Amino acid sequence: MKNDEGLDFALSHKTGRIVDIRMVERGLACGCVCPNCGAELLARKGRKNRHHFAHHVAGRTHPTCEGGRESTLHRAARQIIAGWRSIELPALLVKEGGRQAALPGRVLSVGRSELPDDPGERSLWSNVNIRPDVVLHGKDEQIWCEVKVAHAVDDSKRAQLQCYRVSTLEFDLSQMYRNGGWNLTTLDLALRTDMSIREWVFHVSEAQLRRRLQEEVREADALQRTKLAESQRHLRNDANAQLRIVAGEGDVGPVEMMFHPAFGLIPKDPVKRLAVLSRAYPEPKIFHLNRAIAFLRHHPHGDRSCLVTFGGLGPASRTSEYDAALSEFARAAGLNCVYFGIAESRLLRGEHCYERLDQFLTELQARDSEIPNCR
Ligand SMILES: [Zn+2]
């Protein structure tokens, strides 16, 4: 279906909220208008075409007004984000002079949220030059969210964000916009779980991290200069000294790292990665399953995240089966699930994460103990 064939979302006249095509009656009884141009909408829920809202103006219908699809997707995303009670903040990566540093991601509990562009709330923001799409209030901080459908945060907005010093996330829906066919559930799932579409456009800690890296670069340069001066002195004194320099007394170089959207920088080598994990999540609780062992680990600093690892037992190991069941459970329970790059290991985050996973694995263990072990 092409982009111009109607809207996925519409504004309900009765509630003032964005609805999707599944939520309304067919035809004009849907009681919806286009939030972009204000036209009355018709819910098309026939057998042949994909269900959508069409504009109904002066007795005639046409797919959409210019900017209608962009505007409704944008509003649907804002409404969804404003309804979240927690958000997974991604890791921050800073690069400077060939070096990089990262701040790991975390989960923020959201107490309340604001939609500064909504008519009711606009006046509160009238003194501010910038109106973020969504404002999420944590306990002692706020996070601003921008939704990109066609327009990204540009340089002038970036400059303004520097002034207000509030960490700002951008959700990039430009790819999804092209596809179409969204409802509120699938859009929520994509916004919540796809870490590749969220990115910091401003972060309060970025400047500090950058300064630290610059300091490191300066120190490394100074060290290099001292070494160079020393080696030149050696050269003058000892014709063989050059050999030593070539052999390399300098840095062996750090462990090769890669960026992970939840953890920040992690070792590229999976074995070293596992070591990082067990340091961060010590003392597992162990569950004995049929031909597998499950390990449940809790983050010691109480960031409400857990690590679940399945270890295989014997040749007919069923770890991938358990992993699939866990993934299914996490989705149903609304837990954020992050793949760490090691098979059958998952990082899960959310309210009462440990208790719920404990219960899930306990039930799995109980169920398995009823099954004879030798099938
Ligand atoms: Zn319209």
Side-chain angles (χ1 to χ4, degrees):
M1 187 158 181
K2 289 200 305 285
N3 246 359
D4 53 358
E5 292 180 62
L7 306 173
D8 291 329
F9 302 105
L11 186 66
S12 162
H13 216 41
K14 213 157 64 189
T15 61
R17 308 238 331 143
I18 294 288
V19 290
D20 67 45
I21 192 79
R22 301 169 310 168
M23 302 158 74
V24 296
E25 284 180 50
R26 61 191 292 174
L28 287 172
C30 68
C32 290
V33 293
C34 169
N36 190 51
C37 68
E40 198 175 9
L41 297 178
L42 190 86
R44 286 201 151 142
K45 300 172 84 161
R47 282 218 196 115
K48 236 165 69 194
N49 292 322
R50 195 176 77 196
H51 294 181
H52 65 271
F53 293 98
H55 279 57
H56 184 80
V57 184
R60 294 182 59 187
T61 56
H62 53 101
T64 177
C65 58
E66 176 144 10
R69 287 192 78 248
E70 180 190 327
S71 156
T72 48
L73 181 62
H74 194 262
R75 285 198 56 156
R78 281 167 46 207
Q79 180 175 298
I80 286 169
I81 295 169
W84 288 347
R85 296 281 66 95
S86 73
I87 179 173
E88 176 145 10
L89 303 175
L92 170 74
L93 179 69
V94 179
K95 292 181 181 178
E96 185 76 47
R99 287 172 182 253
Q100 50 184 8
L103 215 62
R106 65 194 164 94
V107 174
L108 176 80
S109 284
V110 179
R112 67 185 178 91
S113 53
E114 287 174 79
L115 289 162
D117 247 343
D118 268 12
E121 301 187 25
R122 206 171 281 174
S123 57
L124 291 169
W125 288 79
S126 56
N127 296 332
V128 186
N129 284 332
I130 195 166
R131 274 208 301 265
D133 287 332
V134 187
V135 178
L136 301 176
H137 292 267
K139 198 157 165 262
D140 340 276
E141 66 187 314
Q142 50 177 293
I143 299 288
W144 288 358
C145 300
E146 290 290 320
V147 176
K148 169 185 173 182
V149 176
H151 307 285
V153 171
D154 58 15
D155 287 344
S156 80
K157 197 161 191 183
R158 237 174 252 267
Q160 283 185 325
L161 288 171
Q162 298 272 359
C163 305
Y164 287 103
R165 306 199 52 75
V166 180
S167 294
T168 304
L169 266 181
E170 183 177 74
F171 290 84
D172 183 354
L173 298 181
S174 54
Q175 291 280 341
M176 297 179 182
Y177 170 52
R178 262 163 248 149
N179 300 335
W182 296 95
N183 59 47
L184 287 173
T185 313
T186 54
L187 185 59
D188 179 78
L189 193 70
L191 283 166
R192 206 182 266 282
T193 58
D194 188 350
M195 295 294 277
S196 71
I197 61 165
R198 64 182 68 176
E199 188 184 46
W200 292 111
V201 284
F202 177 79
H203 194 292
V204 280
S205 303
E206 185 183 336
Q208 195 191 352
L209 225 55
R210 197 170 292 285
R211 273 198 301 277
R212 207 182 76 197
L213 283 177
Q214 283 163 347
E215 189 74 16
E216 277 179 30
V217 170
R218 268 199 300 277
E219 278 171 15
D221 282 354
L223 192 69
Q224 201 65 36
R225 273 197 299 278
T226 319
K227 274 189 182 164
L228 201 65
E230 233 168 66
S231 66
Q232 277 166 349
R233 204 169 56 235
H234 276 285
L235 254 179
R236 281 196 297 273
N237 297 340
D238 181 359
N240 289 328
Q242 207 172 357
L243 284 173
R244 272 221 306 274
I245 301 159
V246 174
E249 294 171 336
D251 283 350
V252 189
V255 178
E256 213 183 336
M257 304 289 259
M258 58 180 277
F259 183 69
H260 186 284
F263 281 87
L265 289 173
I266 58 170
K268 228 171 182 169
D269 174 20
V271 178
K272 292 194 179 110
R273 211 179 288 169
L274 204 57
V276 168
L277 265 192
S278 47
R279 260 207 313 279
Y281 296 85
E283 292 174 40
K285 181 167 179 182
I286 298 170
F287 300 85
H288 297 276
L289 308 173
N290 195 3
R291 297 219 171 103
I293 294 185
F295 302 93
L296 172 63
R297 291 175 162 97
H298 199 276
H299 197 283
H301 299 133
D303 75 341
R304 296 188 308 167
S305 73
C306 296
L307 181 78
V308 175
T309 310
F310 291 106
L313 285 180
S317 157
R318 292 169 57 203
T319 51
S320 56
E321 210 177 294
Y322 289 122
D323 193 47
L326 172 69
S327 157
E328 187 70 22
F329 169 77
R331 198 172 43 222
L335 297 174
N336 283 336
C337 197
V338 178
Y339 182 59
F340 189 67
I342 301 168
E344 277 94 39
S345 287
R346 278 169 196 278
L347 182 79
L348 297 111
R349 286 176 169 161
E351 297 283 348
H352 307 296
C353 187
Y354 188 87
E355 292 75 14
R356 291 157 84 184
L357 288 168
D358 190 5
Q359 192 185 352
F360 168 72
L361 291 168
T362 305
E363 279 167 16
L364 211 59
Q365 183 174 252
R367 197 197 64 191
D368 273 14
S369 69
E370 290 163 13
I371 306 168
N373 219 2
C374 47
R375 273 187 304 170

Short mmCIF file of all heavy atoms in Angstrom, two decimals, residues 7 34 36-39 55 64-65 68, ligand 1:
data_model
loop_
_atom_site.label_atom_id
_atom_site.label_comp_id
_atom_site.label_asym_id
_atom_site.label_seq_id
_atom_site.Cartn_x
_atom_site.Cartn_y
_atom_site.Cartn_z
N LEU A 7 -5.01 7.30 6.15
CA LEU A 7 -4.31 7.48 7.43
C LEU A 7 -4.44 6.24 8.30
O LEU A 7 -5.47 5.59 8.32
CB LEU A 7 -4.92 8.66 8.20
CG LEU A 7 -5.02 10.01 7.47
CD1 LEU A 7 -5.81 10.99 8.32
CD2 LEU A 7 -3.64 10.56 7.18
N CYS A 34 -9.22 14.80 11.05
CA CYS A 34 -7.78 14.81 10.76
C CYS A 34 -7.13 15.88 11.63
O CYS A 34 -7.53 17.03 11.58
CB CYS A 34 -7.56 15.13 9.28
SG CYS A 34 -5.84 15.47 8.87
N ASN A 36 -4.46 17.23 11.27
CA ASN A 36 -3.66 18.15 10.46
C ASN A 36 -4.52 19.25 9.84
O ASN A 36 -4.20 20.42 9.97
CB ASN A 36 -2.95 17.35 9.37
CG ASN A 36 -1.92 18.16 8.62
OD1 ASN A 36 -1.08 18.80 9.25
ND2 ASN A 36 -1.99 18.15 7.30
N CYS A 37 -5.64 18.88 9.19
CA CYS A 37 -6.44 19.89 8.49
C CYS A 37 -7.83 20.06 9.10
O CYS A 37 -8.58 20.95 8.72
CB CYS A 37 -6.57 19.53 7.01
SG CYS A 37 -7.56 18.06 6.72
N GLY A 38 -8.21 19.19 10.04
CA GLY A 38 -9.50 19.33 10.70
C GLY A 38 -10.66 18.70 9.95
O GLY A 38 -11.81 18.76 10.42
N ALA A 39 -10.39 18.09 8.79
CA ALA A 39 -11.48 17.50 7.99
C ALA A 39 -12.09 16.28 8.69
O ALA A 39 -11.42 15.60 9.46
CB ALA A 39 -10.94 17.08 6.63
N HIS A 55 -10.25 11.06 4.07
CA HIS A 55 -10.86 12.38 4.27
C HIS A 55 -12.23 12.42 3.61
O HIS A 55 -12.43 11.88 2.53
CB HIS A 55 -9.96 13.46 3.66
CG HIS A 55 -8.82 13.84 4.55
ND1 HIS A 55 -7.91 12.93 5.00
CD2 HIS A 55 -8.45 15.05 5.07
CE1 HIS A 55 -7.02 13.55 5.77
NE2 HIS A 55 -7.33 14.84 5.82
N THR A 64 -5.97 11.52 1.72
CA THR A 64 -5.47 12.34 2.83
C THR A 64 -5.11 13.73 2.34
O THR A 64 -5.03 13.97 1.14
CB THR A 64 -4.22 11.69 3.49
OG1 THR A 64 -3.73 12.54 4.52
CG2 THR A 64 -3.11 11.42 2.50
N CYS A 65 -4.95 14.64 3.28
CA CYS A 65 -4.46 15.96 2.93
C CYS A 65 -2.93 15.92 2.91
O CYS A 65 -2.33 14.94 3.36
CB CYS A 65 -4.91 16.98 3.97
SG CYS A 65 -4.35 16.57 5.63
N GLY A 68 -0.95 14.92 6.18
CA GLY A 68 -1.85 14.26 7.12
C GLY A 68 -1.25 13.02 7.76
O GLY A 68 -1.34 12.82 8.96
ZN ZN B 1 -6.14 16.28 6.79
#
